[in-house]
Amino acid sequence: METRTQDTASFEVTPWEVRGKVDYRKLAEHFGVKLITESELEQIRKLAGGELHYLLRRGFFFAHRGLDSILQRIEKGQRWALYTGRGPSADLHLGHILPWMFAKWLCDRFGVELFFEMTDDEKFLVRDLPLEEANKYAYDNALTLIAIGFKPEQLHLIIDTEDIKYLYRIAIRVAKCLTLSTVKHTFGFTDSTNVGAVFFPTLQIAVAFLPTELYREETPVLIPAGIDQDPYFRLARDVADRLGYPKPCTIYCKFVPALTGEEKMSSSRPETAIYILDDDKTVKKKIMNALTGGQPTKELQRKLGGNPDVCVVYRYFQAYVDDDSLVSKIYNDCKSGNLICGECKLILYEHIVRLLQELRERREKAKDVLEYYRISTKFR
Amino acid sequence: METRTQDTASFEVTPWEVRGKVDYRKLAEHFGVKLITESELEQIRKLAGGELHYLLRRGFFFAHRGLDSILQRIEKGQRWALYTGRGPSADLHLGHILPWMFAKWLCDRFGVELFFEMTDDEKFLVRDLPLEEANKYAYDNALTLIAIGFKPEQLHLIIDTEDIKYLYRIAIRVAKCLTLSTVKHTFGFTDSTNVGAVFFPTLQIAVAFLPTELYREETPVLIPAGIDQDPYFRLARDVADRLGYPKPCTIYCKFVPALTGEEKMSSSRPETAIYILDDDKTVKKKIMNALTGGQPTKELQRKLGGNPDVCVVYRYFQAYVDDDSLVSKIYNDCKSGNLICGECKLILYEHIVRLLQELRERREKAKDVLEYYRISTKFR
């Protein structure tokens, strides 16, 4: 089962790495996922009471597996759940929270609950973070997650090393369906890989089946995630039938580009990303240094206008500013030469800083209530 | 790391299989374990207050790894613990309980506690037992274990699928030290093996380090087990240092022969073993059909005497009857021709049936108190 996507000519997307300029249409084809259609968007809009989240409106969420079956359940008033997760580390950046913001909207619109897995074990097994640190970051990252605005009844937080009892029994049933060969091939493991890394995918898959166990009724999940996580969920869909669980469905998000112009923000290169805990000065510096679609000089920009379609700064407006009228004004003013890059960046800075300040304030409050979000507080 | 012992000429011992006539001296050499010496037996006798368990006296426990370091700890009054386990199934037979009876003696003599792992996950992952059944047998087998006579403060019962939270954090640290290559080589896994079976050894190893975590002080374990389990504990000793745990020590038991004469009772061939839940009639039939070292006819037996040294029935006396004077009387009366096989078998039957009746009675009582033995009742 080959799910690593490699197009040596242009780009590579795996759970570990994104390289090159991603062609999302090709990527969807390669992974075998479906593009979201206009009529599906209309259906969501209708079901959501006439509103469409801006990340759907603007095509950030662009592909899926089985979205149609979730929409059918919504129409019929049947139970479903959301699931996403995070490999906790210090480097939580703006790219990571897009699916979380989207999930929050789904929770609000559809009264659905989010199961969220903090894979501190994976960070230790695969990424070489000390276990204690990974666990500490799980708690830290959870504060930002809660700061998105989830209510305790909307969000069920799973920390792998602490909540393993919810997962293990499902995971070994998944494990029995997966040979070494399959997992090696899917994730590119070799005989030098440690046995924990090889077992880990069963835990990421297990959460997809957990709601069905906890609610004791068929509860398929919809998983908002980066498309690089598809190999896990493709395996999950493969084994679901055999285990008597509903197939998990996915909805995939495009990457938010690096400030420096690469395809995706990188946790390991600070200059490419805006971290949630960056101070205002750092954020300003990073945005002011961002790659734009502007002209080489102020004069040329006034005269010829810029090219927002290839501009990282404009992409951030699209990704983080809900207000369509502002975003299209930015677009038009750039094109016409009315707006020069320095001014535009300051406007973005104001928006990003407001978002981060809000998140940081709410993070502080989250410290006192984190326990209410933990799965162990709510399910036996 | 080659720990499967294969001597194509005569015998094979792995965690999955025992075949051929086992030469225990060769086996010890092959596995790289030490034979227990007379002076070590004397040391144990002294430390135990002048008494030596009959399974030690008679050489059933014959080999070890690191026993000397445990004896040193006993001398110094330092903390240690016992650890053994069982892959639960319906087929609990007399062979299985030898290490448990020995462990009980150690608990009583040295005030030490036994950590006992029921590997219901392994039975599911490796042996194809349905998970629910394996779990049910874990509870069932635990009743027999308790029936050996352990007090709740002596025995801490771990059921893998239910008590995974005690093990997982240790297991992933073990897992990080074990490559696929090592585990494949040690246990003979291939790329067709499921990823759960490949991860499982980390859980069997994890229990060896659990007492150190629970008591928050260095607590090496002594593991009474069949020598076929050595590959697990050899790996455990290999990784202990790297993880900052004391090396686990082992003491290995010879197999109790099959009633039909093969080297080891087989769970899958009922006629070879006496099961704990066999009714008296079945036990009688099995013993009466057992292979002996007797002569072809009663007359020849009276005239020439039998050969207890190759007799399965005599071996059972050695394995299950503490009383030295009775066992040596059987030996001598057989040799002299005073005792014929039918009579001898009836004497054995009386002893075995008494043992089984006692176990079954205590099993009934154990049903009400099983919870007191569970690790979750005693440790957070």
Side-chain angles (χ1 to χ4, degrees):
Chain A
M1 183 179 327
E2 178 58 73
T3 52
R4 309 181 86 201
T5 291
Q6 244 171 2
D7 182 330
T8 47
S10 56
F11 64 96
E12 176 176 350
V13 175
T14 72
W16 330 119
E17 194 171 36
V18 175
R19 263 207 323 239
K21 172 77 190 152
V22 176
D23 177 331
Y24 284 102
R25 188 171 292 269
K26 244 189 204 168
L27 188 60
E29 208 175 284
H30 223 111
F31 271 115
V33 302
K34 287 189 182 157
L35 296 174
I36 299 175
T37 63
E38 279 305 316
S39 87
E40 279 159 348
L41 288 179
E42 270 323 294
Q43 197 185 351
I44 299 172
R45 187 195 300 273
K46 209 184 295 173
L47 292 169
E51 199 206 43
L52 210 53
H53 191 269
Y54 73 90
L55 291 171
L56 283 170
R57 288 199 305 267
R58 296 174 193 161
F60 275 88
F61 281 91
F62 75 107
H64 72 96
R65 288 187 188 272
L67 178 60
D68 37 330
S69 75
I70 295 291
L71 297 181
Q72 271 177 28
R73 290 188 79 88
I74 298 175
E75 273 184 343
K76 291 185 189 157
Q78 292 169 323
R79 196 189 268 278
W80 59 292
L82 287 165
Y83 160 35
T84 193
R86 155 98 183 133
S89 79
D91 311 317
L92 194 60
H93 61 57
L94 280 179
H96 294 124
I97 67 171
L98 273 198
W100 308 357
M101 299 192 307
F102 180 58
K104 167 65 176 149
W105 180 80
L106 291 170
C107 287
D108 290 342
R109 292 288 143 174
F110 299 109
V112 70
E113 298 167 21
L114 170 63
F115 289 80
F116 193 102
E117 182 184 34
M118 287 288 181
T119 59
D120 54 349
D121 47 357
E122 184 222 5
K123 277 284 171 185
F124 166 71
L125 289 165
V126 181
R127 314 293 178 102
D128 268 328
L129 203 64
L131 189 53
E132 295 67 26
E133 249 179 79
N135 184 252
K136 199 187 74 190
Y137 288 133
Y139 281 92
D140 174 89
N141 291 185
L143 298 177
T144 300
L145 172 65
I146 293 169
I148 299 288
F150 292 96
K151 300 184 191 104
E153 62 273 23
Q154 289 180 319
L155 170 63
H156 308 307
L157 179 67
I158 299 157
I159 301 175
D160 276 358
T161 61
E162 303 193 12
D163 300 313
I164 186 67
K165 68 171 178 165
Y166 293 93
L167 304 182
Y168 186 65
R169 238 185 291 208
I170 304 173
I172 56 176
R173 294 176 59 214
V174 171
K176 194 152 181 193
C177 300
L178 298 178
T179 63
L180 269 188
S181 184
T182 297
V183 170
K184 281 168 112 175
H185 203 226
T186 304
F187 299 102
F189 295 144
T190 69
D191 277 356
S192 311
T193 306
N194 76 64
V195 296
V198 168
F199 182 70
F200 169 76
T202 68
L203 291 170
Q204 183 154 336
I205 294 169
V207 182
F209 305 137
L210 181 61
T212 293
E213 291 288 342
L214 292 178
Y215 297 128
R216 295 166 194 274
E217 68 175 272
E218 191 178 83
T219 309
V221 293
L222 177 67
I223 307 171
I227 191 166
D228 52 324
Q229 297 297 303
D230 186 62
Y232 291 105
F233 305 125
R234 181 158 160 181
L235 288 186
R237 288 175 63 86
D238 281 349
V239 301
D241 266 354
R242 260 188 289 172
L243 297 175
Y245 292 119
K247 274 192 201 307
C249 306
T250 60
I251 183 163
Y252 292 128
C253 192
K254 291 179 183 170
F255 306 116
V256 180
L259 294 164
T260 43
E262 293 91 348
E263 197 56 27
K264 190 186 173 193
M265 299 189 211
S266 163
S267 293
S268 51
R269 292 173 49 226
E271 72 278 16
T272 66
I274 295 169
Y275 298 114
I276 306 303
L277 299 181
D278 274 350
D279 61 35
D280 296 357
K281 210 176 128 192
T282 305
V283 173
K284 192 168 195 172
K285 197 175 141 203
K286 285 179 176 179
I287 290 179
M288 296 318 278
N289 286 334
L291 191 80
T292 72
Q295 301 294 344
T297 68
K298 201 189 285 188
E299 291 67 33
L300 277 172
Q301 174 86 1
R302 293 276 183 219
K303 194 174 151 193
L304 302 172
N307 184 0
D309 292 315
V310 301
C311 179
V312 168
V313 173
Y314 178 66
R315 194 68 180 150
Y316 276 67
F317 274 104
Q318 290 187 302
Y320 298 102
V321 178
D322 189 351
D323 180 351
D324 280 346
S325 65
L326 174 64
V327 175
S328 80
K329 186 170 157 45
I330 295 283
Y331 186 88
N332 294 328
D333 284 354
C334 170
K335 279 226 134 172
S336 69
N338 270 348
L339 188 64
I340 60 169
C341 291
E343 295 162 357
C344 179
K345 283 171 167 173
L346 282 175
I347 300 171
L348 178 67
Y349 166 74
E350 292 299 335
H351 277 89
I352 296 295
V353 146
R354 204 177 309 137
L355 172 63
L356 293 182
Q357 278 171 354
E358 232 178 77
L359 285 176
R360 284 194 295 253
E361 272 170 40
R362 290 194 191 150
R363 271 176 56 93
E364 284 309 307
K365 289 180 193 151
K367 286 177 184 169
D368 297 330
V369 294
L370 193 145
E371 280 304 304
Y372 300 138
Y373 290 85
R374 294 197 54 181
I375 193 163
S376 50
T377 309
K378 291 174 273 186
F379 296 92
R380 265 212 76 202
Chain B
M1 181 182 326
E2 180 57 70
T3 53
R4 309 181 86 203
T5 291
Q6 244 171 3
D7 183 327
T8 46
S10 56
F11 64 98
E12 177 176 350
V13 176
T14 72
W16 331 122
E17 193 170 36
V18 175
R19 266 208 320 241
K21 172 80 191 152
V22 176
D23 177 333
Y24 285 100
R25 188 172 290 270
K26 245 190 202 169
L27 187 62
E29 208 175 282
H30 222 111
F31 272 115
V33 302
K34 286 187 183 159
L35 295 174
I36 299 175
T37 63
E38 280 305 316
S39 89
E40 279 158 349
L41 287 179
E42 269 323 294
Q43 198 184 351
I44 298 172
R45 187 196 300 274
K46 209 185 294 170
L47 292 169
E51 197 206 44
L52 210 51
H53 191 269
Y54 73 90
L55 291 171
L56 284 170
R57 289 200 305 267
R58 296 175 193 161
F60 274 89
F61 281 92
F62 74 107
H64 71 95
R65 289 186 186 273
L67 177 62
D68 38 330
S69 75
I70 294 290
L71 297 181
Q72 272 176 29
R73 290 188 80 88
I74 297 175
E75 272 183 343
K76 291 183 189 158
Q78 292 169 324
R79 195 189 268 280
W80 59 292
L82 287 165
Y83 161 33
T84 194
R86 155 97 184 134
S89 78
D91 311 317
L92 193 61
H93 60 57
L94 280 179
H96 295 123
I97 67 171
L98 272 199
W100 308 357
M101 299 192 308
F102 180 58
K104 167 66 175 148
W105 181 80
L106 292 169
C107 286
D108 289 342
R109 291 289 142 175
F110 299 109
V112 72
E113 297 166 20
L114 169 64
F115 289 80
F116 193 101
E117 182 184 34
M118 288 286 181
T119 59
D120 54 349
D121 47 357
E122 185 223 4
K123 277 283 170 184
F124 167 70
L125 289 165
V126 181
R127 313 292 177 105
D128 270 326
L129 203 64
L131 188 53
E132 295 67 27
E133 248 178 79
N135 184 252
K136 197 188 75 188
Y137 288 133
Y139 281 92
D140 174 87
N141 291 185
L143 297 178
T144 300
L145 172 65
I146 293 170
I148 299 288
F150 293 97
K151 299 183 192 106
E153 63 272 23
Q154 288 180 320
L155 171 62
H156 308 308
L157 179 67
I158 299 159
I159 301 175
D160 277 358
T161 62
E162 303 192 14
D163 300 314
I164 187 67
K165 68 170 179 167
Y166 293 94
L167 304 181
Y168 186 65
R169 238 185 292 211
I170 304 172
I172 58 177
R173 295 175 61 215
V174 170
K176 195 154 180 189
C177 300
L178 298 178
T179 63
L180 270 189
S181 184
T182 298
V183 171
K184 279 168 111 174
H185 203 225
T186 304
F187 298 102
F189 295 144
T190 69
D191 278 355
S192 310
T193 306
N194 77 64
V195 296
V198 168
F199 182 71
F200 169 75
T202 69
L203 291 170
Q204 183 155 338
I205 294 170
V207 182
F209 305 138
L210 181 62
T212 293
E213 291 289 341
L214 292 178
Y215 296 128
R216 294 164 192 278
E217 69 175 272
E218 192 178 85
T219 310
V221 293
L222 177 67
I223 306 170
I227 192 167
D228 52 325
Q229 297 297 303
D230 186 62
Y232 290 105
F233 305 124
R234 181 158 162 182
L235 287 186
R237 288 174 64 87
D238 281 349
V239 301
D241 266 354
R242 263 189 286 172
L243 297 175
Y245 292 119
K247 274 192 201 306
C249 305
T250 59
I251 183 162
Y252 293 126
C253 192
K254 292 180 184 170
F255 304 115
V256 179
L259 293 165
T260 42
E262 292 90 349
E263 196 57 25
K264 190 186 172 192
M265 297 189 213
S266 164
S267 293
S268 51
R269 291 173 48 226
E271 72 276 17
T272 65
I274 294 169
Y275 298 114
I276 306 303
L277 299 182
D278 274 349
D279 61 35
D280 295 357
K281 208 176 128 192
T282 305
V283 173
K284 191 167 196 174
K285 194 174 142 202
K286 286 179 176 178
I287 291 180
M288 295 318 278
N289 285 334
L291 192 80
T292 73
Q295 301 294 345
T297 66
K298 203 188 285 191
E299 291 66 34
L300 279 170
Q301 174 85 1
R302 294 271 182 226
K303 191 171 157 197
L304 304 171
N307 184 359
D309 292 315
V310 300
C311 178
V312 168
V313 172
Y314 179 66
R315 194 68 179 148
Y316 276 66
F317 274 104
Q318 289 187 303
Y320 297 101
V321 178
D322 188 353
D323 180 352
D324 280 346
S325 64
L326 173 63
V327 175
S328 79
K329 184 170 158 43
I330 294 284
Y331 186 88
N332 294 329
D333 285 352
C334 170
K335 279 223 132 173
S336 68
N338 271 348
L339 188 64
I340 59 168
C341 291
E343 294 164 357
C344 180
K345 283 172 169 174
L346 281 176
I347 301 171
L348 177 67
Y349 166 74
E350 293 298 336
H351 276 88
I352 296 295
V353 146
R354 204 177 309 136
L355 171 64
L356 293 182
Q357 277 171 354
E358 229 177 79
L359 286 175
R360 283 196 295 255
E361 270 170 40
R362 290 195 191 151
R363 271 177 56 93
E364 284 309 307
K365 288 182 193 148
K367 287 178 183 171
D368 296 331
V369 295
L370 192 145
E371 281 304 302
Y372 300 139
Y373 290 85
R374 295 198 52 179
I375 192 163
S376 51
T377 309
K378 292 175 270 186
F379 295 92
R380 263 214 77 204

